[in-house]
Amino acid sequence: MFTRFVFVCFAALLGGPGGALAQTGAASAGPNAGPMSRAELRQCLQMQVALEGDKEALARARAQQDATIKSLDADEAKLKAAQAKLERSNRQAVKAFDAQVKAHHERVAAHNQTLPAFNAQAAAYEASEARYQARCAGRPYREADRAAVQP
């Protein structure tokens, strides 16, 4: 009676792009093994700042999702306790309980409608992080270039 379907795809919030750029001397393998140009370094630093903001936004969204789920779980527990004590011969009590169950199901449905947007936000973060990792992570740069492009 009190079932709900919640599917949350969530990007790992631990780790991330912070500090993934490497100074000259720590060469990486692959076609991008040479030091980054200033323009590339500027783009990577901008991507890093954007990713940090996206990570914070995703963490806030996740906290909101968690709070909603916790609230729904608490409501469900209250409904189960009320059901156990429900005097089924009292028509008004049954009708009131049914209204509470209906309201709970509506809150669950409303929450479930927020999940696609949250999942899209998590997927966008993961895609941005993958682009950053492919273009920037571990690539060497000149310290003078970093000082020149640092905001």
Side-chain angles (χ1 to χ4, degrees), residues 8 13 41 51 61 99 106 130:
V8 177
L13 290 178
L41 182 57
L51 276 171
E106 288 170 358

Side-chain angles (χ1 to χ4, degrees), residues 124-135:
Y125 174 79
E126 288 176 344
S128 294
E129 187 173 24
R131 278 191 301 278
Y132 175 85
Q133 292 294 328
R135 293 179 187 168

Side-chain angles (χ1 to χ4, degrees), residues 108-144:
V108 168
H111 170 71
N112 286 344
Q113 288 178 354
T114 69
L115 295 178
F118 175 75
N119 290 340
Q121 182 182 8
Y125 174 79
E126 288 176 344
S128 294
E129 187 173 24
R131 278 191 301 278
Y132 175 85
Q133 292 294 328
R135 293 179 187 168
C136 306
R139 290 207 42 215
Y141 61 87
R142 292 177 191 86
E143 189 58 40

Side-chain angles (χ1 to χ4, degrees), residues 78-99:
K78 288 177 187 175
L79 286 172
K80 285 183 179 182
Q83 182 184 26
K85 297 177 184 176
L86 183 63
E87 187 180 326
R88 287 172 174 71
S89 61
N90 182 340
R91 221 174 154 91
Q92 285 183 328
V94 170
K95 194 172 187 176
F97 178 76
D98 288 345

Side-chain angles (χ1 to χ4, degrees), residues 44-94:
C44 287
L45 291 172
Q46 290 170 347
M47 288 174 74
Q48 189 175 25
V49 168
L51 276 171
E52 288 169 4
D54 292 347
K55 182 178 179 178
E56 290 170 7
L58 189 57
R60 286 190 302 273
R62 177 59 189 196
Q64 179 62 43
Q65 291 287 329
D66 289 345
T68 302
I69 290 169
K70 186 176 180 179
S71 174
L72 290 171
D73 287 345
D75 289 348
E76 185 172 333
K78 288 177 187 175
L79 286 172
K80 285 183 179 182
Q83 182 184 26
K85 297 177 184 176
L86 183 63
E87 187 180 326
R88 287 172 174 71
S89 61
N90 182 340
R91 221 174 154 91
Q92 285 183 328
V94 170

